[in-house]
Amino acid sequence: MTKVPLRKISSCEAPPKRSRAGLILHASSRVVLAAIIFKIILLAMNAVPFNGDEGVVALMARHILQGERPVFFYGQTYLGGTNAWLVAFSFSIFGQSILAIRIVQVALFAATLITTYHVARRFGFDEWSASIAVLLLALPPTMLTLYTTATLGGYGETLLLGNILLLIAYRVHSHHTADAVQVAPIADSTSPPQSAPVTKWSGVARHPLFRWLLLGIVAGFGFYTFPLFLIYLVPVTIWLLIQRQSSTWRGYAIGLIGFLIGAAPWWIALIQSGGVLINEMIGSAVAGSVGGSILNSIGVRLINFFLFGLSALFGLRYPWSADFVLPIVGVCVAVIYLAAFAYAIRRGSKILSHPKIAIMPWGMIAVLFLTFLLTPFGGDPSGRYFLPLYLPLAIFAAMLLARLREQHRTLVGLLIALILGYNVTGTLIAASIQPPGITTQFDPVSWIDHTRDRELIDFLLAHNETRGYTNYWVEYPIAFESNEQIITSAQLPYHLDLSYTPRDDRYLPYTQAVAQSPQAFYITVNHPKLDDLIRSGLARLNVVFDETTIGNYHIFYSLSRKVEPSELQLTP
């Protein structure tokens, strides 16, 4: 038998290279890991205060575990209960804590980053460009960090479901067309073609009508979760109509059925409410933020869009402040983003996998712009409704950077470092300023030092005070953190002008519990004028009381008799 000599491997010979796909997957995983680590750092810094909206979600989740089945966010019958159900699942695993709430947001954000990579690939990006798009979102401007760390009931879910909708829409479109971005392995010409075994389920999943059904269900569920989802839904619908025209009427019909199924809770509530749900969805709750008709307020809405909205989107300012963040560096970053938009207008349709696919990112921008002009949501200067636009922003920026990289690799590296450095630095600066920290609160009067919550709870329990009156931003965090030992009714104003809406008092069982109590305390926050009114009102009624201050909290307790807020005449 002839011996085959063994090949001697030189010590200086390079080891076998990993596959290109493996390297990219590893790189993308590291980007997602970096995003998670950054979130952990912020959570360790207690940078994002627990707020009233999160308190509502937390209480809903607790009540779900106790058998309650909420369909909508307490007091807001247009915002679905999806987030509360996810938090309830987290509570069942990690226990009922603020950290368990934040874990849900971190998981949603990680999934959003992963799906963003796949969306970019479907748009025709190579691995490097797609990874850069993910990187720009992984270490983003402060606004995206804020609303993917604290939960307000649906933003994180909307971003993820929006990406999923885009991916399914692309699969629906590409069923009968060549998939230009998908790379198939090259078969050996000497071997007979091999086909993978097809299970019954995989055969169903690949059927075009099943994809239409799945598309509709995701679209409907996303709409139920948060009507902001229309920013994704409208462009996707237009794109599919243009691509497929009338040749797949069965697909459209199945998609519509899927939408009705996915949005079933919303339709049922619409019928039961007699149409009130429509007013909620188009912004009746914020209608007072911009007074007058659309024509009279269009100037304010345009300012809110271009000045306040875009500046928050780019990270030039924090959502809760009008002040610019590191303005010189911020302007440079904004110029890069604006250049990316300009490049996308000029060259985008020629770079993307299909010219008409540009309808989706540009359609998202157009839908938001029209929403700002035509609905009361245009009165919100925070920028939070711009969150879905981070996807087009990352796509366009990656597109420009990929073009520059062909000739100026060093410059591209510096630009990426500038953008990421600005985002991270701006976020850490905000985290270091306590209060407010990285907050969802626009009004400084509601900036609360929640590190004193436990002290407040212990004080109230020590004085046998378990029922009382306060404002929205105090009621729900204290109820959750006290395990609902302390129940309050949000019947006090928190605005400095003493304006108040009954919508703040969102949970009827709490209101009833306070109404049935023989005694009640009062808690205010950062509001000396309101304190004086309560003090003078109690004196006028000949009610003896004690008062004290704990952090931002001012407590009126040990009242000689129960006093209803209406007796104090607190609001104009």
Side-chain angles (χ1 to χ4, degrees):
M1 182 174 65
T2 305
K3 293 184 177 181
V4 179
L6 297 174
R7 176 174 173 264
K8 185 178 181 180
I9 301 177
S10 171
S11 60
C12 62
E13 183 177 346
K17 294 183 178 180
R18 298 181 185 177
S19 70
R20 183 178 180 85
L23 286 172
I24 294 299
L25 179 61
H26 183 56
S28 299
S29 300
R30 285 187 294 179
V31 169
V32 176
L33 180 61
I36 295 174
I37 291 173
F38 189 54
K39 293 281 191 186
I40 293 173
I41 292 173
L42 294 175
L43 293 177
M45 295 174 64
N46 198 23
V48 183
F50 188 52
N51 63 70
D53 290 325
E54 281 191 298
V56 172
V57 173
L59 290 166
M60 290 176 64
R62 174 182 290 162
H63 298 163
I64 287 171
L65 295 180
Q66 294 172 351
E68 189 175 306
R69 296 295 177 258
V71 176
F72 291 103
F73 196 84
Y74 288 162
Q76 288 181 299
T77 53
Y78 67 90
L79 190 61
T82 304
N83 190 234
W85 285 88
L86 292 176
V87 172
F89 177 73
S90 181
F91 280 178
S92 68
I93 298 174
F94 303 106
Q96 297 183 20
S97 66
I98 297 173
L99 178 60
I101 303 170
R102 302 291 169 78
I103 287 174
V104 172
Q105 297 309 303
V106 173
L108 288 171
F109 185 56
T112 298
L113 294 178
I114 294 170
T115 52
T116 295
Y117 173 82
H118 292 287
V119 169
R121 292 290 286 143
R122 296 299 181 269
F123 277 24
F125 281 23
D126 60 18
E127 291 92 341
W128 185 89
S129 302
S131 297
I132 290 300
V134 177
L135 181 61
L136 294 176
L137 293 184
L139 300 173
T142 304
M143 185 168 73
L144 183 59
T145 296
L146 167 60
Y147 288 100
T148 56
T149 305
T151 176
L152 272 74
Y155 290 101
E157 291 85 351
T158 297
L159 297 179
L160 175 57
L161 290 170
N163 279 356
I164 293 173
L165 184 75
L166 295 175
L167 291 171
I168 298 174
Y170 189 89
R171 294 301 298 166
V172 166
H173 162 67
S174 64
H175 177 72
H176 294 298
T177 58
D179 189 351
V181 224
Q182 186 175 358
V183 180
I186 301 175
D188 186 353
S189 59
T190 61
S191 304
Q194 300 289 327
S195 58
V198 179
T199 65
K200 182 178 180 181
W201 166 248
S202 64
V204 172
R206 293 176 182 177
H207 195 283
L209 292 183
F210 175 83
R211 292 175 180 173
W212 277 102
L213 178 64
L214 185 60
L215 179 77
I217 291 174
V218 171
F221 187 68
F223 177 74
Y224 153 71
T225 297
F226 198 169
L228 185 67
F229 196 74
L230 288 170
I231 292 178
Y232 298 93
L233 183 55
V234 173
V236 165
T237 301
I238 293 173
W239 183 68
L240 287 174
L241 287 171
I242 290 175
Q243 294 300 321
R244 309 304 296 273
Q245 298 177 358
S246 61
S247 60
T248 54
W249 64 268
R250 286 185 300 175
Y252 297 132
I254 293 295
L256 179 59
I257 292 173
F259 180 84
L260 295 175
I261 294 172
W266 192 91
W267 293 110
I268 294 171
L270 176 64
I271 295 171
Q272 292 175 342
S273 69
V276 175
L277 199 59
I278 297 293
N279 290 331
E280 288 270 346
M281 189 183 72
I282 63 177
S284 62
V286 295
S289 57
V290 178
S293 66
I294 293 176
L295 291 178
N296 292 335
S297 61
I298 194 168
V300 175
R301 298 174 190 227
L302 288 172
I303 291 174
N304 284 343
F305 186 91
F306 287 105
L307 179 59
F308 293 109
L310 289 181
S311 61
L313 180 75
F314 294 162
L316 278 170
R317 69 171 186 88
Y318 300 130
W320 60 90
S321 171
D323 297 330
F324 287 117
V325 182
L326 303 174
I328 296 177
V329 182
V331 168
C332 295
V333 171
V335 168
I336 298 173
Y337 288 138
L338 293 174
F341 278 103
Y343 181 72
I345 292 173
R346 191 168 65 92
R347 297 282 299 171
S349 61
K350 298 179 181 178
I351 296 173
L352 298 177
S353 59
H354 190 286
K356 293 180 181 178
I357 206 172
I359 289 174
M360 288 202 260
W362 285 112
M364 293 170 66
I365 297 171
V367 171
L368 178 65
F369 180 69
L370 291 175
T371 299
F372 251 64
L373 287 186
L374 302 177
T375 72
F377 290 108
D380 189 320
S382 69
R384 55 182 169 166
Y385 300 125
F386 282 63
L387 288 170
L389 299 194
Y390 276 110
L391 178 65
L393 184 66
I395 292 291
F396 295 156
M399 191 183 298
L400 174 64
L401 293 171
R403 174 66 182 86
L404 294 175
R405 184 170 178 261
E406 296 174 4
Q407 297 179 336
H408 307 286
R409 286 177 176 257
T410 301
L411 174 62
V412 167
L414 292 174
L415 292 178
I416 294 173
L418 176 66
I419 295 172
L420 299 182
Y422 179 70
N423 293 344
V424 171
T425 302
T427 301
L428 291 177
I429 290 174
S432 67
I433 303 174
Q434 296 280 356
I438 303 176
T439 180
T440 59
Q441 307 308 115
F442 319 130
D443 192 340
V445 76
S446 59
W447 291 352
I448 302 173
D449 180 10
H450 284 284
T451 62
R452 307 294 294 273
D453 286 0
R454 189 69 252 173
E455 185 179 348
L456 171 66
I457 292 168
D458 291 341
F459 174 85
L460 292 173
L461 292 176
H463 289 80
N464 197 31
E465 296 281 5
T466 60
R467 300 292 183 267
Y469 299 99
T470 186
N471 64 54
Y472 175 84
W473 304 111
V474 177
E475 175 181 6
Y476 302 104
I478 296 302
F480 176 73
E481 293 179 280
S482 70
N483 199 25
E484 296 178 85
Q485 290 180 280
I486 296 174
I487 299 299
T488 56
S489 178
Q491 296 187 34
L492 298 188
Y494 62 89
H495 294 293
L496 292 179
D497 63 0
L498 298 175
S499 59
Y500 173 77
T501 171
R503 290 175 57 89
D504 286 350
D505 198 21
R506 295 187 179 184
Y507 193 51
L508 182 59
Y510 286 178
T511 305
Q512 293 172 338
V514 175
Q516 295 167 3
S517 174
Q519 66 182 58
F521 58 83
Y522 284 78
I523 297 178
T524 64
V525 179
N526 302 326
H527 209 316
K529 181 178 179 180
L530 181 59
D531 295 340
D532 290 340
L533 288 173
I534 294 175
R535 197 175 291 117
S536 61
L538 292 175
R540 175 173 47 82
L541 296 171
N542 296 318
V543 174
V544 179
F545 62 94
D546 292 324
E547 59 181 306
T548 191
T549 299
I550 299 176
N552 301 120
Y553 301 111
H554 195 88
I555 308 105
F556 297 87
Y557 65 102
S558 296
L559 276 63
S560 57
R561 75 167 178 87
K562 182 180 180 182
V563 176
E564 301 282 349
S566 58
E567 297 180 73
L568 297 175
Q569 302 175 1
L570 302 175
T571 56

